[in-house]
Coordinates of all heavy atoms in Angstrom, one line a residue:
G37 N 2.6 17.9 2.8 CA 3.5 16.8 2.8 C 2.9 15.5 3.1 O 3.6 14.5 3.1
Q72 N -8.2 4.9 -13.6 CA -9.3 4.0 -13.4 C -9.5 3.2 -14.6 O -9.1 3.5 -15.7 CB -10.5 4.8 -13.1 CG -11.0 5.7 -14.3 CD -12.2 6.6 -13.9 OE1 -12.1 7.5 -13.1 NE2 -13.3 6.3 -14.5
A94 N -1.8 14.0 7.8 CA -2.7 13.0 8.2 C -2.1 11.7 8.6 O -1.0 11.3 8.0 CB -3.8 12.8 7.2
A143 N 17.6 0.6 -6.0 CA 17.1 0.8 -4.6 C 18.0 1.7 -3.9 O 17.5 2.6 -3.1 CB 17.0 -0.6 -3.9
I152 N 15.7 -3.3 0.1 CA 16.1 -4.7 -0.1 C 16.6 -5.2 1.3 O 17.6 -4.8 1.8 CB 17.2 -4.9 -1.1 CG1 16.6 -4.4 -2.5 CG2 17.6 -6.3 -1.2 CD1 17.6 -4.5 -3.6
L162 N 27.5 -14.6 -5.2 CA 27.1 -13.1 -5.2 C 27.1 -12.5 -3.8 O 26.5 -11.4 -3.6 CB 25.8 -13.0 -5.9 CG 25.7 -13.5 -7.3 CD1 24.3 -13.2 -7.9 CD2 26.8 -12.8 -8.2
E163 N 27.7 -13.2 -2.8 CA 27.7 -12.6 -1.5 C 28.4 -11.3 -1.4 O 28.0 -10.4 -0.8 CB 28.4 -13.6 -0.5 CG 28.4 -13.2 0.9 CD 28.9 -14.2 1.9 OE1 29.4 -15.3 1.4 OE2 28.9 -14.0 3.1
P172 N 22.2 -8.0 3.9 CA 22.5 -9.3 4.4 C 22.3 -10.4 3.3 O 21.4 -10.3 2.5 CB 21.4 -9.5 5.5 CG 21.1 -8.1 5.9 CD 21.1 -7.3 4.7
E192 N 10.9 -18.6 6.7 CA 11.3 -18.1 8.0 C 12.0 -16.7 7.8 O 11.7 -15.8 8.6 CB 12.3 -19.0 8.7 CG 11.6 -20.3 9.3 CD 12.7 -21.2 9.9 OE1 13.9 -20.8 9.9 OE2 12.3 -22.3 10.3
A223 N 5.1 -12.6 -4.9 CA 6.4 -13.1 -5.4 C 6.4 -12.8 -6.9 O 5.4 -13.2 -7.6 CB 6.6 -14.6 -5.1
V248 N 16.3 -16.2 -34.4 CA 15.3 -15.3 -33.9 C 15.5 -13.8 -34.3 O 16.6 -13.4 -34.6 CB 15.2 -15.4 -32.4 CG1 14.8 -16.8 -31.9 CG2 16.4 -14.8 -31.7
G252 N 13.2 -11.3 -25.8 CA 12.3 -10.7 -24.9 C 12.4 -11.2 -23.5 O 13.2 -12.2 -23.2
I267 N 0.9 -12.1 -15.9 CA 2.0 -11.3 -16.5 C 1.9 -9.8 -16.0 O 0.8 -9.2 -16.0 CB 1.9 -11.3 -18.0 CG1 2.2 -12.8 -18.5 CG2 2.9 -10.3 -18.6 CD1 2.0 -13.0 -20.0
I273 N 13.1 -6.7 -27.7 CA 14.2 -6.0 -28.4 C 14.4 -6.7 -29.7 O 14.6 -7.9 -29.7 CB 15.5 -6.0 -27.5 CG1 15.2 -5.3 -26.2 CG2 16.6 -5.2 -28.3 CD1 16.4 -5.3 -25.2
A291 N 16.8 -6.8 -21.4 CA 15.4 -7.0 -21.4 C 14.9 -7.5 -20.1 O 13.9 -7.0 -19.5 CB 15.0 -7.9 -22.5
K294 N 15.0 -4.7 -17.4 CA 14.0 -3.7 -17.6 C 12.6 -4.2 -17.2 O 11.8 -3.5 -16.5 CB 14.0 -3.2 -19.0 CG 12.9 -2.1 -19.4 CD 13.1 -0.9 -18.6 CE 12.2 0.2 -19.0 NZ 12.3 1.4 -18.2
L296 N 11.9 -6.7 -15.1 CA 11.8 -6.9 -13.7 C 11.7 -5.6 -12.9 O 10.9 -5.5 -12.0 CB 13.0 -7.7 -13.3 CG 13.0 -8.2 -11.8 CD1 11.8 -9.0 -11.5 CD2 14.3 -8.9 -11.4
T315 N -3.5 -9.2 -14.9 CA -3.2 -8.1 -14.1 C -3.8 -6.8 -14.7 O -3.7 -6.7 -16.0 CB -1.7 -7.9 -13.8 OG1 -1.1 -7.7 -15.1 CG2 -1.1 -9.1 -13.1

Side-chain angles (χ1 to χ4, degrees):
Q72 65 185 67
I152 300 180
L162 301 180
E163 181 174 5
E192 287 177 4
V248 298
I267 294 172
I273 300 174
K294 180 61 174 175
L296 185 59
T315 58

